[in-house]
Amino acid sequence: MGRGKVEMRRIENKISRQVTFAKRRNGLLKKAYELSLLCDAEVALIIFSGRGRLFEFSSSSCMYKTLERYRTCNSNSQEATPPLESEINYQEYLKLKTRVEFLQSSQRNILGEDLGPLSMKELDQIENQIDASLKHIRSKKNQVLLDQLFELKSKEQELQDENNDLRKKLQDTTSCCGENAVHMSWQDGGQCSSRVLHPEHDTSMQIGYPRAYMDQLNNRDHVACERPGGGSSAGWI
């Protein structure tokens, strides 16, 4: 069964339109590649999807070079007529637009997108560029970590110094309070402090008769023994 003829009009079904776009886009890119390879022609192909996504192919190493060549040839063909200001602005617009599209394409390639049309040399260049970027990022990351570590060590040292100062102030305050307490106890009365420090001298804490009373009794007994006729200490009392 033969293939039916496709009517050239916009496909209304969204899914069918996307499928047709993908198939024909790939076919067009393939044809452009074959034309550049078989005929040694410099081919540049730019496609924008309905959503504004860019697809491109360039037989040279850089799409921008091909577009610059086109702009130069187009300008040379119109050298006979003096360019107007609007035309100059339009050419500048095209130049900037081409540059932006090239940068966007390079960004997508770095992210791993649209790598199909690229040659082995271009893929190697992208790989080297990514490796260099990774080395720079790792170096910057390590530097940031070292700076943070140094800052934390500085804060730790400051906290340790502050802690040592507080500990020293606390020891000085405790020593000063002890000296003030001893000085106040001596002002209240030396006897009281003596009794506290030497409880063996405190007569109120002794058991039995007071020492002065016992000494008085012993003296009386000694006097009674020295008198003529003797006599007991009990009779003398």
Side-chain angles (χ1 to χ4, degrees):
M1 185 174 180
R3 183 177 178 182
K5 185 178 180 181
V6 179
E7 185 180 358
M8 290 295 125
R9 63 182 182 86
R10 184 177 182 273
I11 301 175
E12 299 297 335
N13 188 287
K14 183 178 180 180
I15 298 177
S16 300
R17 185 168 64 248
Q18 292 177 351
V19 172
T20 303
F21 172 78
K23 290 181 179 181
R24 300 217 172 197
R25 177 202 65 200
N26 294 334
L28 188 58
L29 291 172
K30 182 180 179 181
K31 291 296 182 182
Y33 170 74
E34 293 175 352
L35 179 62
S36 64
L37 185 63
L38 296 174
C39 302
D40 194 19
E42 185 175 356
V43 181
L45 175 63
I46 299 175
I47 302 174
F48 286 98
S49 66
R51 297 180 179 180
R53 189 174 181 182
L54 173 64
F55 301 92
E56 62 179 351
F57 169 79
S58 177
S59 59
S60 62
S61 59
C62 181
M63 171 74 75
Y64 181 72
K65 293 180 179 179
T66 304
L67 294 177
E68 279 292 322
R69 182 178 178 183
Y70 165 77
R71 188 180 67 84
T72 303
C73 293
N74 191 26
S75 299
N76 292 333
S77 63
Q78 298 179 357
E79 284 182 353
T81 59
L84 299 177
E85 183 178 358
S86 59
E87 293 180 357
I88 296 176
N89 293 336
Y90 180 72
Q91 293 295 332
E92 187 68 21
Y93 162 75
L94 291 179
K95 182 178 179 180
L96 294 176
K97 182 180 178 181
T98 304
R99 183 62 178 171
V100 171
E101 291 173 354
F102 171 73
L103 294 175
Q104 291 177 348
S105 177
S106 300
Q107 182 180 7
R108 285 194 300 273
N109 293 334
I110 291 176
L111 295 177
E113 300 177 359
D114 302 337
L115 301 178
L118 299 180
S119 63
M120 183 60 66
K121 182 179 179 180
E122 292 173 341
L123 293 175
D124 291 337
Q125 292 177 353
I126 294 174
E127 184 179 6
N128 295 333
Q129 183 179 359
I130 293 175
D131 290 338
S133 300
L134 288 175
K135 290 180 181 179
H136 181 71
I137 292 172
R138 291 192 184 100
S139 177
K140 182 62 177 179
K141 180 181 178 181
N142 293 333
Q143 183 64 37
V144 171
L145 291 176
L146 290 176
D147 293 341
Q148 292 179 354
L149 181 61
F150 179 77
E151 184 178 357
L152 291 176
K153 284 185 176 296
S154 300
K155 290 182 179 180
E156 180 184 7
Q157 185 64 34
E158 292 177 358
L159 292 176
Q160 288 180 353
D161 295 340
E162 185 177 356
N163 190 16
N164 293 333
D165 294 339
L166 292 175
R167 185 180 291 108
K168 185 177 180 181
K169 290 181 181 180
L170 180 61
Q171 291 176 356
D172 295 342
T173 304
T174 305
S175 176
C176 181
C177 291
E179 293 177 358
N180 291 336
V182 173
H183 181 68
M184 290 176 64
S185 64
W186 279 102
Q187 287 181 351
D188 293 340
Q191 297 297 330
C192 295
S193 62
S194 299
R195 286 197 298 269
V196 173
L197 296 174
H198 304 284
E200 63 273 7
H201 296 161
D202 191 358
T203 57
S204 63
M205 298 179 65
Q206 296 180 357
I207 301 175
Y209 295 103
R211 182 181 296 274
Y213 181 70
M214 295 300 296
D215 293 340
Q216 185 179 3
L217 289 179
N218 292 331
N219 292 332
R220 289 180 180 180
D221 291 341
H222 181 71
V223 173
C225 292
E226 291 179 354
R227 288 185 179 184
S232 62
S233 61
W236 176 252
I237 293 172

